[in-house]
Amino acid sequence: MKRAGKRALSPCIDVCDLDAKTGWCLGCGRTAGEIGEWTKLTPFRRSRLQQELARRLVRLGQRPLVGSE
């Protein structure tokens, strides 16, 4: 996960390729909409979404992000 100044931690790992079937990023598991809204989410919503991202990545056959298991 990256940290950019005071911005919220991002699950982005610079593998920005969306799965055609699900619309989930193959790197982080987020949808394009979730990526765009990330900085606007509350800490609680980001935490809940990160839990979901781990499940999505498993479904895509990817390794879950470290710290989100």
Side-chain angles (χ1 to χ4, degrees):
M1 286 190 222
K2 295 180 184 179
R3 181 185 274 296
K6 293 184 178 183
R7 291 175 39 172
L9 290 175
S10 170
C12 180
I13 60 168
D14 292 327
V15 177
C16 303
D17 190 21
L18 298 179
D19 178 73
K21 184 176 178 182
T22 63
W24 299 336
C25 175
L26 297 175
C28 68
R30 296 179 293 173
T31 65
E34 290 165 343
I35 291 168
E37 294 291 317
W38 183 257
T39 59
K40 298 175 186 173
L41 296 177
T42 65
F44 176 78
R45 297 278 300 167
R46 281 192 296 268
S47 176
R48 295 293 298 232
L49 180 54
Q50 284 184 321
Q51 291 172 7
E52 175 61 24
L53 297 179
R55 289 187 280 274
R56 290 179 186 178
L57 290 170
V58 168
R59 287 186 59 196
L60 289 172
Q62 306 291 350
R63 283 183 58 197
L65 303 170
V66 175
S68 61
E69 300 171 358

